[in-house]
Amino acid sequence: MLSFRWNRVTGAGKLWLRIRRNWQLYVLLALPLLWLVVFRYAPMYGAQIAFRQYSPAFGIEGSPWVGLANFERFFNSPKFEPVIVNTLVLSFYSLIAGFPIPIILALSLNQVKARMFRSSVQMITYAPHFISTVVIVGMLFQFLHPRVGFTASLAQLLEQSPPNWMGDPGAFRHIFVWSGIWQEMGFSAIIYLAVLSTVDPALHEAAVVDGANRLQRIRYIDIPGLMPTAMVLLVLSTGRVLEVAFEKVYLMQSPLNLGVAEVINTYVYKVGLLSPILDFSYSTAIGLLKGIVGLLLLIAVNNAARRLTDNSVW
Amino acid sequence: MASMTSYESNINKVNESAVDRIFMMGNTAFLSIITIIILLPLIFIVAASFSSAEAVIAGRVTLWPVDFSLLGYETIFEHKKVWNGFANSLFYTFFGTIFNVFMTIIAAYPLSRQDLIGRRFITFAFIFTMMFSGGLIPTYMVVRDLGLLNTRWAMILPTGIGPFNLLITITFFRSTIPPELIEAARIDGASDFRTFRSVILPLARPIIAVLTLFYAVNTHWNTYFQALIYLKDQELFPLQIVLREILIQNSIDASMLIDIEDLVAREGLRELLKYSLIVVASVPVMIIYPFVQRHFVKGMMIGSVK
C-alpha cells in the first residue's frame, strides 16, 4: 500500500512524503538535537563576546562592540609569544615522539605467535590508559619525588644525589611527553593491530615463497598496509596541535615551570575563571582564535594529505 | 635438476629461519623491556603503599614493601572526604553514563538510516563539534545561565553525546543491521518506534556495552575538569577533585595526622597516604578492565573502520 503510493509521487511531494513517512525517526532525533543546540551551538553563538566588552549587567547581546580589541590585546601581551611557543613545542614534541612508538609496538606484537605472551603484553601495556590524569600526575610527583620517590631510592642505592626533575623547568617537557607515551602507547597500538589483522595472508605467503624474511615482510607488507591509517591519525593529531593534553599540563604546572608550562588552554582558563578580575571577553577571544586557527589547520593538513597520499579524513 | 631446486630451497629455508629466529629473539626481548617499563612505576607505587611511613620518608622503597604496614590504607579508610568523593563519582558515572548512552543510541539509529532526509547535514553538525567549539567561557556561560552551576546536573547534562562515540554507533548500525530487516519489520506493520524498541535495541547490545565503557571511564570516572569549573561545593566533589587536592596540591586534613607528634613521621605518613590513595583510586577500574578490555578493543576497531 505504502510502496504503491511511493512510486506515484515525485519531486517535492516525494520528499515531503519521505519525511512524513519517517516522522518517528525525527522524534527520536529531537532530544539529541535539542542538546546539540543548547550545549554545543549556543556557546558558538555566545563566542561573539570575543568582539564585545562583556559585562554581566548587559548580557551577551547588550554588551558594547569593541571590534578586534581583545585580539589585539592578546597579540600585544607579553604572554602571547611564550604561550604560543609552549603550546607548539609541547604538541610537536608529543606528536613526533609519540607517533612512531605505537606503530613499532603493533608491528612487534603482530609477530608474536605465543598467545599467552601476546595477550599478557597487550593487557599490561593497555592498563595505564585507564588510569586517570590526576592519578598519573600524582604518580609522577611520587615516582620522581626528590626524597621519597623511586628515583630518589635508586640514587640512594647508587650513592648519587637524588635528582629533582619535577622541580626542574628544563625537565618539564620531557616528563610530560614521555609519561604520555608511557600511558598511551599500548592503547594507541590497538588500531594498528586491528589494521594488521586485515592484511591479506596471501601476501605474506607469497613473500615467504619468494624467500622474504620477517623483517622484509614487515618492511614491504605490514608497513605499507598501515600507512593509510597512520596518515589519517597523523592528520587528526596535526589538526589538534593547539589543544595539547590540557588537563595534564594544568596539573603539572608549578610556579617553577610556568615559563615552559603555560599553554593556550591553561591561559584561557586562568584569564577567564581564575584571575581576580574575570575577563570573559578576553579569554573567549583567545579561545576563539585558537579554535579558528585549529580548524583552518585541520582543513589544510587534510587537503595536503589528500594531495600527497590519497588518504584523508574526508 | 629438480632435486637441486629443492636442495636450494631447503638451504634457503634454513638461512631464513636463522635470521628470523634472531629477529624473534630480539622481538621478544623488545616487548619484555616495554612491559617492564610499563610495570616498574606501578610496582613501585604498590610497594610503597604497603611500606611503613619511616621507610617511605627515608627513600628506602624500590620494588618491594619495606617494613610491611597497612597504615596508609587505614588512614585513607578514615578519610571521609575520599569516601564522599567515591560516592559522588559513582553517582555521576552511573547516571551520566545512562544519559550518554541513551542520547547516543537515539541519535545514532535515525542517522544510520539511509532513507532519512537530512541525515548528512545533521551528522555533520555533530561531527563539526569535534573540530570546533564555542570555547571554555561561552560553554560555562550556557551552563551558568541554565542555573546548573554547582549542581549535580552540571556533571551530567553538558557531557551528552561524544561525536566519536556517535560515529562508531552509526557505523555499527550500518554494518550490522541490514535495511531488509527494517523493511521486513515495516511490512509486518511495525512503526519506527516499535522497530527501534523490538528489533534495533536487542541487536544493539554489543555497541551499548562499548558505549557504556567509553562514557563511564573516559567521560565520567577519570575526568576532573568539569567538576573544577562547575562545582564549588565540597559535598559535590567527585573523587578526582579530592585526589587532586591531596596528590597535587598536597593538602591533607591536619586532623588525619594529628596523632603523630614527630614531624618526620608526620611527613612520612603524608607521603605514604598518597601512595595508598593512588592504589585505592585506581583499583576499581584496574579490576574491571581486564574483563571488559575486549569491548574497548572492539570499539576502537569499529572506529578504525570509519
Side-chain angles (χ1 to χ4, degrees), chain B residues 230-260:
Chain B
Y230 297 141
L231 300 181
K232 292 269 165 314
D233 188 354
Q234 298 250 346
E235 284 298 303
L236 298 177
F237 282 175
L239 181 64
Q240 299 300 328
I241 294 284
V242 180
L243 292 176
R244 172 172 172 262
E245 283 176 1
I246 298 176
L247 296 177
I248 316 287
Q249 297 175 317
N250 207 8
S251 87
I252 297 170
D253 269 347
S255 64
M256 301 298 305
L257 311 165
I258 208 128
D259 300 340
I260 303 150

Short mmCIF file of all heavy atoms in Angstrom, two decimals, chain B residues 230-260:
data_model
loop_
_atom_site.label_atom_id
_atom_site.label_comp_id
_atom_site.label_asym_id
_atom_site.label_seq_id
_atom_site.Cartn_x
_atom_site.Cartn_y
_atom_site.Cartn_z
N TYR B 230 32.71 23.74 37.25
CA TYR B 230 31.28 23.89 37.53
C TYR B 230 30.90 23.74 39.00
O TYR B 230 29.82 24.15 39.39
CB TYR B 230 30.46 22.91 36.69
CG TYR B 230 30.56 23.13 35.20
CD1 TYR B 230 30.62 22.06 34.32
CD2 TYR B 230 30.58 24.42 34.68
CE1 TYR B 230 30.71 22.27 32.96
CE2 TYR B 230 30.67 24.63 33.32
CZ TYR B 230 30.73 23.55 32.45
OH TYR B 230 30.83 23.75 31.12
N LEU B 231 31.73 23.10 39.80
CA LEU B 231 31.34 22.83 41.19
C LEU B 231 32.15 23.65 42.18
O LEU B 231 33.36 23.80 42.04
CB LEU B 231 31.51 21.34 41.50
CG LEU B 231 30.71 20.34 40.67
CD1 LEU B 231 31.00 18.93 41.14
CD2 LEU B 231 29.24 20.63 40.72
N LYS B 232 31.45 24.19 43.20
CA LYS B 232 32.14 24.92 44.28
C LYS B 232 32.00 24.17 45.60
O LYS B 232 32.88 24.22 46.44
CB LYS B 232 31.53 26.32 44.43
CG LYS B 232 31.79 27.25 43.27
CD LYS B 232 33.05 28.05 43.49
CE LYS B 232 33.55 28.74 42.23
NZ LYS B 232 33.57 27.89 41.02
N ASP B 233 30.88 23.49 45.74
CA ASP B 233 30.51 22.87 46.99
C ASP B 233 31.28 21.56 47.22
O ASP B 233 31.19 20.63 46.42
CB ASP B 233 28.99 22.60 46.94
CG ASP B 233 28.45 22.13 48.26
OD1 ASP B 233 29.27 21.90 49.18
OD2 ASP B 233 27.22 21.98 48.36
N GLN B 234 32.04 21.50 48.31
CA GLN B 234 32.85 20.32 48.62
C GLN B 234 32.05 19.03 48.61
O GLN B 234 32.55 17.98 48.22
CB GLN B 234 33.45 20.48 50.02
CG GLN B 234 34.37 21.68 50.17
CD GLN B 234 35.80 21.24 50.33
OE1 GLN B 234 36.08 20.08 50.58
NE2 GLN B 234 36.72 22.18 50.16
N GLU B 235 30.78 19.15 49.08
CA GLU B 235 29.95 17.95 49.20
C GLU B 235 29.70 17.30 47.84
O GLU B 235 29.37 16.13 47.76
CB GLU B 235 28.59 18.33 49.84
CG GLU B 235 28.67 18.57 51.33
CD GLU B 235 29.10 17.32 52.07
OE1 GLU B 235 28.43 16.28 51.92
OE2 GLU B 235 30.11 17.38 52.79
N LEU B 236 29.82 18.10 46.76
CA LEU B 236 29.51 17.57 45.43
C LEU B 236 30.74 17.05 44.69
O LEU B 236 30.63 16.47 43.62
CB LEU B 236 28.86 18.67 44.58
CG LEU B 236 27.52 19.22 45.06
CD1 LEU B 236 27.06 20.35 44.15
CD2 LEU B 236 26.47 18.12 45.08
N PHE B 237 31.92 17.27 45.27
CA PHE B 237 33.16 16.94 44.54
C PHE B 237 33.27 15.44 44.21
O PHE B 237 33.08 14.60 45.10
CB PHE B 237 34.38 17.34 45.37
CG PHE B 237 34.68 18.81 45.31
CD1 PHE B 237 35.69 19.35 46.09
CD2 PHE B 237 33.97 19.65 44.48
CE1 PHE B 237 35.98 20.71 46.05
CE2 PHE B 237 34.25 21.00 44.42
CZ PHE B 237 35.25 21.54 45.21
N PRO B 238 33.62 15.14 42.97
CA PRO B 238 33.90 13.75 42.63
C PRO B 238 35.29 13.36 43.13
O PRO B 238 36.08 14.22 43.53
CB PRO B 238 33.86 13.75 41.11
CG PRO B 238 34.27 15.12 40.72
CD PRO B 238 33.76 16.03 41.81
N LEU B 239 35.56 12.09 43.08
CA LEU B 239 36.82 11.56 43.60
C LEU B 239 38.05 12.28 43.02
O LEU B 239 39.00 12.59 43.73
CB LEU B 239 36.89 10.06 43.31
CG LEU B 239 38.15 9.35 43.81
CD1 LEU B 239 38.23 9.41 45.32
CD2 LEU B 239 38.18 7.91 43.34
N GLN B 240 38.02 12.55 41.70
CA GLN B 240 39.22 13.10 41.07
C GLN B 240 39.61 14.46 41.64
O GLN B 240 40.79 14.80 41.69
CB GLN B 240 39.02 13.21 39.55
CG GLN B 240 38.76 11.88 38.84
CD GLN B 240 39.88 10.88 39.02
OE1 GLN B 240 41.04 11.24 39.12
NE2 GLN B 240 39.55 9.60 39.07
N ILE B 241 38.61 15.23 42.06
CA ILE B 241 38.93 16.54 42.65
C ILE B 241 39.57 16.36 44.02
O ILE B 241 40.53 17.05 44.38
CB ILE B 241 37.65 17.40 42.76
CG1 ILE B 241 37.11 17.73 41.37
CG2 ILE B 241 37.90 18.66 43.56
CD1 ILE B 241 37.87 18.81 40.66
N VAL B 242 39.02 15.40 44.79
CA VAL B 242 39.61 15.11 46.09
C VAL B 242 41.05 14.62 45.92
O VAL B 242 41.96 15.03 46.64
CB VAL B 242 38.77 14.03 46.83
CG1 VAL B 242 39.37 13.72 48.18
CG2 VAL B 242 37.32 14.49 46.97
N LEU B 243 41.25 13.76 44.91
CA LEU B 243 42.59 13.26 44.62
C LEU B 243 43.52 14.40 44.27
O LEU B 243 44.68 14.44 44.69
CB LEU B 243 42.56 12.26 43.45
CG LEU B 243 41.88 10.94 43.69
CD1 LEU B 243 41.85 10.13 42.41
CD2 LEU B 243 42.60 10.17 44.78
N ARG B 244 43.01 15.35 43.50
CA ARG B 244 43.85 16.48 43.10
C ARG B 244 44.29 17.27 44.33
O ARG B 244 45.46 17.63 44.45
CB ARG B 244 43.08 17.37 42.13
CG ARG B 244 43.79 18.66 41.81
CD ARG B 244 43.09 19.44 40.71
NE ARG B 244 43.70 20.74 40.56
CZ ARG B 244 43.22 21.86 41.10
NH1 ARG B 244 42.13 21.83 41.84
NH2 ARG B 244 43.83 23.00 40.90
N GLU B 245 43.37 17.49 45.24
CA GLU B 245 43.72 18.24 46.45
C GLU B 245 44.84 17.55 47.22
O GLU B 245 45.79 18.18 47.66
CB GLU B 245 42.50 18.38 47.37
CG GLU B 245 41.52 19.43 46.89
CD GLU B 245 40.27 19.49 47.75
OE1 GLU B 245 40.19 18.73 48.73
OE2 GLU B 245 39.38 20.29 47.43
N ILE B 246 44.70 16.22 47.35
CA ILE B 246 45.67 15.50 48.18
C ILE B 246 46.98 15.24 47.43
O ILE B 246 48.06 15.52 47.94
CB ILE B 246 45.06 14.18 48.68
CG1 ILE B 246 43.84 14.48 49.55
CG2 ILE B 246 46.09 13.38 49.46
CD1 ILE B 246 43.10 13.26 50.01
N LEU B 247 46.86 14.73 46.19
CA LEU B 247 48.07 14.30 45.47
C LEU B 247 48.84 15.48 44.89
O LEU B 247 50.06 15.50 44.89
CB LEU B 247 47.71 13.34 44.34
CG LEU B 247 47.10 12.00 44.73
CD1 LEU B 247 46.74 11.21 43.49
CD2 LEU B 247 48.06 11.23 45.61
N ILE B 248 48.12 16.44 44.32
CA ILE B 248 48.81 17.51 43.59
C ILE B 248 49.02 18.73 44.47
O ILE B 248 50.09 19.31 44.51
CB ILE B 248 48.01 17.91 42.33
CG1 ILE B 248 47.51 16.69 41.57
CG2 ILE B 248 48.83 18.85 41.46
CD1 ILE B 248 48.54 15.91 40.82
N GLN B 249 47.95 19.11 45.17
CA GLN B 249 48.06 20.33 45.95
C GLN B 249 48.58 20.06 47.36
O GLN B 249 48.80 20.99 48.13
CB GLN B 249 46.71 21.04 46.02
CG GLN B 249 46.25 21.47 44.64
CD GLN B 249 44.86 22.05 44.66
OE1 GLN B 249 43.97 21.53 45.32
NE2 GLN B 249 44.67 23.14 43.93
N ASN B 250 48.74 18.76 47.68
CA ASN B 250 49.38 18.39 48.92
C ASN B 250 48.60 18.87 50.15
O ASN B 250 49.17 19.15 51.17
CB ASN B 250 50.79 18.99 48.95
CG ASN B 250 51.72 18.15 49.82
OD1 ASN B 250 51.33 17.07 50.27
ND2 ASN B 250 52.90 18.65 50.03
N SER B 251 47.29 19.04 49.99
CA SER B 251 46.53 19.50 51.15
C SER B 251 45.80 18.32 51.78
O SER B 251 44.97 17.68 51.15
CB SER B 251 45.53 20.59 50.73
OG SER B 251 44.33 20.04 50.31
N ILE B 252 46.20 18.02 52.99
CA ILE B 252 45.60 16.89 53.71
C ILE B 252 45.09 17.43 55.04
O ILE B 252 45.75 18.22 55.69
CB ILE B 252 46.65 15.79 53.96
CG1 ILE B 252 47.15 15.25 52.62
CG2 ILE B 252 46.09 14.68 54.83
CD1 ILE B 252 48.33 14.34 52.74
N ASP B 253 43.90 17.00 55.41
CA ASP B 253 43.35 17.40 56.70
C ASP B 253 44.38 17.18 57.80
O ASP B 253 44.87 16.07 57.96
CB ASP B 253 42.12 16.51 57.03
CG ASP B 253 40.86 17.13 56.51
OD1 ASP B 253 40.91 18.33 56.15
OD2 ASP B 253 39.85 16.43 56.46
N ALA B 254 44.68 18.24 58.52
CA ALA B 254 45.66 18.10 59.60
C ALA B 254 45.16 17.07 60.61
O ALA B 254 45.95 16.38 61.25
CB ALA B 254 45.91 19.43 60.27
N SER B 255 43.83 16.97 60.73
CA SER B 255 43.27 16.04 61.72
C SER B 255 43.65 14.59 61.42
O SER B 255 43.68 13.75 62.31
CB SER B 255 41.75 16.18 61.74
OG SER B 255 41.23 15.80 60.50
N MET B 256 43.94 14.32 60.16
CA MET B 256 44.32 12.96 59.79
C MET B 256 45.66 12.58 60.41
O MET B 256 45.97 11.44 60.59
CB MET B 256 44.45 12.82 58.27
CG MET B 256 43.21 13.15 57.48
SD MET B 256 41.85 12.06 57.89
CE MET B 256 42.59 10.47 57.58
N LEU B 257 46.49 13.61 60.65
CA LEU B 257 47.86 13.34 61.05
C LEU B 257 48.10 13.71 62.50
O LEU B 257 49.21 13.65 63.00
CB LEU B 257 48.82 14.14 60.15
CG LEU B 257 48.58 14.03 58.65
CD1 LEU B 257 49.32 15.12 57.90
CD2 LEU B 257 49.02 12.66 58.15
N ILE B 258 47.02 14.07 63.20
CA ILE B 258 47.17 14.72 64.49
C ILE B 258 47.77 13.80 65.56
O ILE B 258 48.48 14.25 66.45
CB ILE B 258 45.82 15.30 64.96
CG1 ILE B 258 46.06 16.51 65.87
CG2 ILE B 258 44.97 14.27 65.68
CD1 ILE B 258 45.29 17.71 65.43
N ASP B 259 47.52 12.48 65.42
CA ASP B 259 48.00 11.55 66.44
C ASP B 259 49.53 11.48 66.47
O ASP B 259 50.12 11.05 67.44
CB ASP B 259 47.46 10.14 66.18
CG ASP B 259 45.95 10.15 66.20
OD1 ASP B 259 45.39 11.10 66.77
OD2 ASP B 259 45.34 9.21 65.65
N ILE B 260 50.12 11.88 65.36
CA ILE B 260 51.56 11.71 65.27
C ILE B 260 52.26 13.00 65.62
O ILE B 260 52.02 14.03 65.00
CB ILE B 260 51.94 11.24 63.86
CG1 ILE B 260 51.17 9.95 63.57
CG2 ILE B 260 53.42 11.02 63.74
CD1 ILE B 260 50.88 9.78 62.13
#
